[in-house]
């Protein structure tokens, strides 16, 4: 059986899309030194099999929204159904089931306290077979989201990255139609302007201009939704760290630079640093706990839970999952 791990050309394409999710295939091909057809064929193959997807997402901090990390305790018979229901919501990401099969974790973003109350105080606690809900505000994201994940972006040189990097300028205010724009980009970040125009009611020229405005202002970013197994990461885990308050930034920045860390954020709650780790195997996870975290000053406690099933990474819910 052939290995599912991507080869060097596929990895370079993933890295290029990580830099600019809407870069034309011709520009990616020129930077990588391969043909346009090679880039297009490989991207479409990965996209068609559901292994890779480019998604456009709102930058919550730039838009004044608030993100929450939610832990939902459920009975074992309801875990998959509740997780998949959360994954179908447009305001969630990183929806997964952890070891034991009775805890769902996810990140959700809200535009106002009213939206937060509706999900966290209204809907979830009243859901049948949900036995407990805790939510902690994400105070500062150090890896993942607009900052990206270094572990999947390690194939291009500094010169190649500079040739692909889009520009960012001044911020932009929300406008009518943005909601529909974000919704269609969450499904496919490379969708054509004609499809965006139909979804928003704009002209194609307006769609192109508005997308550029949001992106240059930092209110919209593009992410690569890819199965970590394709990059050689077989073991996924969530970690909650208790860090001395004066050392949180130092620890978070050091951890965020580690290639195994897909997401890192400072949070409210009894633990103050949240990590999503993607490791080669369980031995690599142990090494990360011992060396990547254990040697950092200020770490007073670690809770870890392996991920046993993903319902959503970023963008739309997963229709087929490997774990």
């Amino acid at each position: 059986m052939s290995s599912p791990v991507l080869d060097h050309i596929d990895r370079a394409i993933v890295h290029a899309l990580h830099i600019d999710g809407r870069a034309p295939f011709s520009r990616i091909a020129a930077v990588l030194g391969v043909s346009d057809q090679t880039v297009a064929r490989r991207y479409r193959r990965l996209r068609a099999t559901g292994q890779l997807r480019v998604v456009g997402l709102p930058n919550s901090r730039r838009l004044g929204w608030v993100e929450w990390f939610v832990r939902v305790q459920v009975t074992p018979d309801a875990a998959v159904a509740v997780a998949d229901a959360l994954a179908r919501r447009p305001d969630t990401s990183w929806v997964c089931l952890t070891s034991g099969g009775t805890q769902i974790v996810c990140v959700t973003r809200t535009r106002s306290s009213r939206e937060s109350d509706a999900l966290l105080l209204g809907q979830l606690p009243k859901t049948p077979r949900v036995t407990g809900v805790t939510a902690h505000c994400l105070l500062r994201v150090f890896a993942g989201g607009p900052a990206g994940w270094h572990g999947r972006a390690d194939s291009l040189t500094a010169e190649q990255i500079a040739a692909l990097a889009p520009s960012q300028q001044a911020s932009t205010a929300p406008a009518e139609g943005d909601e529909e724009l974000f919704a269609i980009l969450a499904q496919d970040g490379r969708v054509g302007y004609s499809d965006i125009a139909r979804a928003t009611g704009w002209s194609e020229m307006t769609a192109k201009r508005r997308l550029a405005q949001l992106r240059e202002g930092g209110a919209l970013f593009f992410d690569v939704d890819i199965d970590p197994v394709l990059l050689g990461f077989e073991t996924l885990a969530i970690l909650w760290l208790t860090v001395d308050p004066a050392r949180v930034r130092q620890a978070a920045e050091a951890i965020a630079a580690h290639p195994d860390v897909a997401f890192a954020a400072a949070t409210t709650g009894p633990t103050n640093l949240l990590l999503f780790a993607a490791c080669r195997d369980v031995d690599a996870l142990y090494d990360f706990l011992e060396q990547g975290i254990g040697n950092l000053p200020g770490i007073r406690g670690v809770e870890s839970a392996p991920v046993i099933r993903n319902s959503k990474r970023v963008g739309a819910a997963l229709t087929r999952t490997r774990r």
Side-chain angles (χ1 to χ4, degrees), residues 285-305:
L285 176 59
Y286 174 85
D287 291 339
F288 174 66
L289 289 168
E290 181 183 55
Q291 302 168 21
I293 293 176
N295 292 330
L296 291 174
I299 305 294
R300 292 191 278 115
V302 179
E303 177 188 353
S304 60

Side-chain angles (χ1 to χ4, degrees), residues 180 190 257 278 305:
E180 291 79 9
R190 295 182 65 86

Side-chain angles (χ1 to χ4, degrees), residues 204-283:
E204 289 189 37
M205 184 62 69
T206 299
K208 185 175 183 179
R209 182 173 62 249
R210 184 56 182 162
L211 190 151
Q213 288 173 344
L214 288 167
R215 191 177 193 187
E216 290 171 358
L220 168 68
F221 71 97
F222 290 89
D223 205 349
V224 178
D225 184 0
I226 186 169
D227 187 343
V229 171
L230 297 175
L231 301 174
F233 298 105
E234 295 278 354
T235 300
L236 309 180
I238 301 173
L239 296 90
W240 296 267
L241 276 61
T242 304
V243 187
D244 292 335
R247 305 268 192 159
V248 170
R249 179 185 292 274
Q250 178 186 0
E253 290 178 346
I255 289 169
H258 198 287
D260 288 355
V261 175
F263 183 85
T267 74
T268 60
T271 61
N272 52 6
L273 196 56
L274 165 71
L275 310 179
F276 284 68
C279 301
R280 301 289 174 186
D281 49 33
V282 292
D283 287 333

